[in-house]
């Protein structure tokens, strides 16, 4: 059942992402070649006008405060050895069978626990990010289009994943399922609400990763008896407004 869900969901997300990427590439070419403000460009600028949202509920703002932007990154307090540990975790637990992931955690448990204790604040901050109900990047100010430092965000995400795996046997049943559900729900929100192609593409990739990683890790929670995260049923079909917003954002980036 898990494998069938995984194949269908990943195919859907990949297809949408590829179609959108091709369309945006054509859009870039057309608008970069256009020396004057065309009717189409004016329409795209209208699409870029976003509604006001409560900034305290905007995950983009919170994430920006924690990880910084590509232009002004915030350095995470991770040592070189911890960066290497996260790379090994990614290889063992995302790219290899679940047995290899278990072996990696068991063999490095003391080091992993020490790292998680040292960075509990980052883990809690990631939990705060993925529980925010909104995602809105700044398009209103054409001179301040800050792309998030996603590399940092992904490193914190891996810390949060490791924390869930290490504590899955000592805390309440279903902790892995609950984390996967919240994480997928967050990236689905980003997927539908992004203003730039890079954000849209990364969100689609993270949804795929969540599905693949989730199927493997849920096998460790025998108490769930074949259940899966409710968020996996969320639609990956983009609304007209979502498509228009990304078109507008990438027009502005292309003309920077």
């Amino acid at each position: 059942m898990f494998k069938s869900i995984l194949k269908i969901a990943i195919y859907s997300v990949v297809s949408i992402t590829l179609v959108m990427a091709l369309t945006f590439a054509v859009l870039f070419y057309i608008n970069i070649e256009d020396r004057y403000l065309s009717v189409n460009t004016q329409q795209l600028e209208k699409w870029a006008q976003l509604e006001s949202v409560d900034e305290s509920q905007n995950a983009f703002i919170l994430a920006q405060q924690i990880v910084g932007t590509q232009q002004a990154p915030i350095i995470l307090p991770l040592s070189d050895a911890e960066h290497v540990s996260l790379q090994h975790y990614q290889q063992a637990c995302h790219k290899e069978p679940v047995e290899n992931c278990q072996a990696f955690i068991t063999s490095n448990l003391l080091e992993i626990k020490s790292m998680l204790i040292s960075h509990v604040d980052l883990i809690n901050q990631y939990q705060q990010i993925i529980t925010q109900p909104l995602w809105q990047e700044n398009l209103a100010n054409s001179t301040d289009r800050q792309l998030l430092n996603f590399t940092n965000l992904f490193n914190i995400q891996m810390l949060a994943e490791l924390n869930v795996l290490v504590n899955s046997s000592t805390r309440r049943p279903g902790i892995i399922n609950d984390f996967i559900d919240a994480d997928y729900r967050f990236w689905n929100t980003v997927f539908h609400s992004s203003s730039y192609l890079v954000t849209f593409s990364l969100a689609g990739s993270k949804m795929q990763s969540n599905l693949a990683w989730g199927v493997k890790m849920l096998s460790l929670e025998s108490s769930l008896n074949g259940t899966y995260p409710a968020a996996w049923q969320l639609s990956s079909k983009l609304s007209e407004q979502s498509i228009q917003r990304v078109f507008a954002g990438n027009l502005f980036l292309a003309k920077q």
Side-chain angles (χ1 to χ4, degrees), residues 19-34:
V19 170
M20 290 287 284
L22 178 61
T23 307
F24 292 148
V26 175
L27 178 71
F28 277 5
Y29 177 78
I30 292 173
N31 284 282
I32 289 173
E33 292 295 317
D34 186 5

Side-chain angles (χ1 to χ4, degrees), residues 13 59 63 126 129-132 135 148-151 153-158 161 179-194 198-210 231 234-236 238:
V13 173
Y126 186 77
I129 290 172
I130 65 176
T131 55
Q132 295 299 306
W135 177 273
L148 195 69
N149 184 349
F150 283 103
T151 299
L153 186 61
F154 297 161
N155 281 330
I156 299 176
Q157 179 190 37
M158 286 191 287
E161 290 174 355
F179 175 81
I180 293 170
D181 184 85
D183 199 54
Y184 187 90
R185 197 174 298 276
F186 165 70
W187 288 109
N188 185 269
T189 297
V190 177
F191 185 73
H192 287 279
S193 305
S194 56
V198 61
T199 308
F200 167 82
S201 299
L202 288 172
S205 176
K206 280 298 175 181
M207 289 164 64
Q208 297 171 45
S209 175
N210 178 286
L234 293 173
S235 175
S236 58
L238 294 172

Side-chain angles (χ1 to χ4, degrees), residues 168-231:
S168 61
S169 61
T170 58
R171 293 186 179 178
R172 59 181 173 80
I175 186 174
I176 297 177
N177 185 86
D178 291 348
F179 175 81
I180 293 170
D181 184 85
D183 199 54
Y184 187 90
R185 197 174 298 276
F186 165 70
W187 288 109
N188 185 269
T189 297
V190 177
F191 185 73
H192 287 279
S193 305
S194 56
S195 294
Y196 302 114
L197 178 58
V198 61
T199 308
F200 167 82
S201 299
L202 288 172
S205 176
K206 280 298 175 181
M207 289 164 64
Q208 297 171 45
S209 175
N210 178 286
L211 289 162
W213 181 80
V215 166
K216 290 192 296 185
M217 299 308 147
L218 286 174
S219 67
L220 303 176
E221 290 194 332
S222 57
S223 61
L224 293 178
N225 296 320
T227 61
Y228 57 88

Side-chain angles (χ1 to χ4, degrees), residues 45 47-53 55 58-64 69 71 134-148 150 190 193-199 245-246 248-253 256:
E45 290 186 339
W47 290 347
Q49 297 174 3
L50 304 175
E51 296 181 1
S52 298
V53 299
E55 295 298 302
N58 187 355
F60 172 73
I61 297 299
L62 178 58
Q64 194 176 50
T69 65
Q71 295 85 351
L134 304 173
W135 177 273
Q136 186 181 94
E137 294 160 303
N138 184 13
L139 278 177
N141 185 351
S142 61
T143 63
D144 185 28
R145 293 186 289 276
Q146 299 285 329
L147 294 175
L148 195 69
F150 283 103
V190 177
S193 305
S194 56
S195 294
Y196 302 114
L197 178 58
V198 61
T199 308
R245 183 171 49 251
V246 183
N250 283 276
L251 168 66
F252 291 153
L253 284 180
Q256 275 188 322

